[in-house]
Amino acid sequence: MACTSSKARFTFPRAPALWEKRGPLSQVRSNIQQDVLWAQLDVGIGSAFGDKNKPTPVVMVGKPGETGVAQIQDMRFTVADITPGAIILQVNMAGSKPGDVGLWNTHVTVGGMADSNVNVACGSPNTAACLAAFAMVHLTSSSSAYIENMWGWTADHSLERGGFQNIATGRGLLVEATKGTWLTGTSFEHNTLYEYNLHNAQNVYAGLQQSENAYWQGEGSQQNAPSPWTANPKYGDPDYSWCAKGDQACRMGLAQNIDGGSNLYLYGAAFWTFFHGETQARYGSPDSWCVDRICITNQARVTGNPKNMYWYGINTKSADVMVLDGKDNPTRYNHPGGWSPGGVIAAYLTFQGA
């Protein structure tokens, strides 16, 4: 790896490689570009990421309030061990123009692969033993980023000779940015509290979102959301207080949580629930399949009266309430269609007013 100073350009060798980070990797210069092959990894490990009450970014793009250029492409970020305090990727920087800060074909994974001990250490059906990462991606309030083709995957199965993958990654994508965010073709899957969370976010475009709920959640699970995590209001976590304590269908992670904010333009969401309570005792069992049945009570949630929000093309599978909003609470029953038992809303405009 080479680095020049002043305008800090990082160049990685064009060959598969792996870097371990035992402390945060900060990218703080005015011009930062990374141009790498997808096969290269950046992994977090060590005590710096061990405290779930003091979450720490593994890779930090810019300091809060910084303006510059940071462009990352064809890269995958992960954690090498169970790291409950790890925010795998945090973006703080904004550019002087749209696209100065951008990520293309860049992915975040937890478990499922031989580069991480999570692949072999998280077989217990009680996911309290595997708080693998605090969050996948955090776009902070000072950031402005363009993201295209990003997959955030907490493994539901091993790709490389691992065991059962009962992994409790806390959060998927947290967006608190206000200066302009563009999400084009993103997917976050199998996280505990949510896949997407727009918390007081402003000026956000999201096109083509996809999610799946954690397979181990729901009927028969030993942990009900937000457990095995604790909702942290500092990070805008939903606390599931609207659910009865033992209601496992209600206490499954939200595909999308929208809390406050303004100028939100969302186009095309596919939020799927395929399994529930799938751990060793029920792995591959029809009892865990969400085929022709409702498995999750609420697929998405809107609260905090966001302003000027336009959401088109919401598609859900195996959910009862498509959007829990305390107003209309549109259900699959009233909006049938799509992947059975599915629901389709062409236009959700409940919060379109300024």
Side-chain angles (χ1 to χ4, degrees), residues 294-343:
I294 298 300
C295 287
I296 183 172
T297 304
N298 306 302
Q299 193 68 274
R301 173 177 177 256
V302 178
T303 189
N305 292 309
K307 303 295 189 296
N308 203 35
M309 185 179 86
Y310 297 83
W311 194 355
Y312 299 97
I314 304 174
N315 300 266
T316 65
K317 181 191 179 304
S318 296
D320 181 11
V321 178
M322 298 177 68
V323 182
L324 177 68
D325 60 14
K327 297 180 182 291
D328 302 322
N329 296 328
T331 65
R332 179 207 63 85
Y333 180 83
N334 291 318
H335 300 272
W339 199 339
S340 181

Side-chain angles (χ1 to χ4, degrees), residues 139-207:
L139 307 181
T140 68
S141 60
S142 66
S143 71
S144 176
Y146 175 87
I147 298 176
E148 180 179 309
N149 189 23
M150 173 176 281
W151 182 35
W153 183 58
T154 291
D156 59 285
H157 63 283
S158 176
L159 300 176
E160 297 181 316
R161 303 178 301 279
F164 290 103
Q165 305 286 298
N166 298 322
I167 302 168
T169 302
R171 301 144 186 87
L173 171 64
L174 171 59
V175 181
E176 297 184 297
T178 62
K179 298 179 179 180
T181 298
W182 298 265
L183 306 173
T184 302
T186 62
S187 173
F188 286 84
E189 299 181 324
H190 315 141
N191 299 295
T192 303
L193 277 79
Y194 58 78
E195 309 306 329
Y196 296 86
N197 187 10
L198 278 58
H199 178 238
N200 293 326
Q202 300 177 32
N203 305 310
V204 175
Y205 164 85

Side-chain angles (χ1 to χ4, degrees), residues 276 282 284-291 293:
H276 63 162
R282 294 177 14 141
S285 168
D287 290 341
S288 69
W289 300 348
C290 297
V291 178
R293 62 186 295 187

Side-chain angles (χ1 to χ4, degrees), residues 185-264:
T186 62
S187 173
F188 286 84
E189 299 181 324
H190 315 141
N191 299 295
T192 303
L193 277 79
Y194 58 78
E195 309 306 329
Y196 296 86
N197 187 10
L198 278 58
H199 178 238
N200 293 326
Q202 300 177 32
N203 305 310
V204 175
Y205 164 85
L208 302 178
Q209 297 175 277
Q210 186 269 338
S211 78
E212 295 178 14
N213 303 95
Y215 292 1
W216 56 265
Q217 288 184 317
E219 180 183 304
S221 176
Q222 295 188 31
Q223 299 290 337
N224 302 324
S227 295
W229 293 86
T230 301
N232 188 334
K234 180 180 178 180
Y235 290 88
D237 288 344
D239 62 8
Y240 293 84
S241 59
W242 59 89
C243 300
K245 185 176 181 180
D247 188 342
Q248 293 191 298
C250 186
R251 289 181 176 271
M252 294 179 69
L254 295 162
Q256 181 145 274
N257 186 65
I258 299 173
D259 188 353
S262 62
N263 300 327
L264 308 176

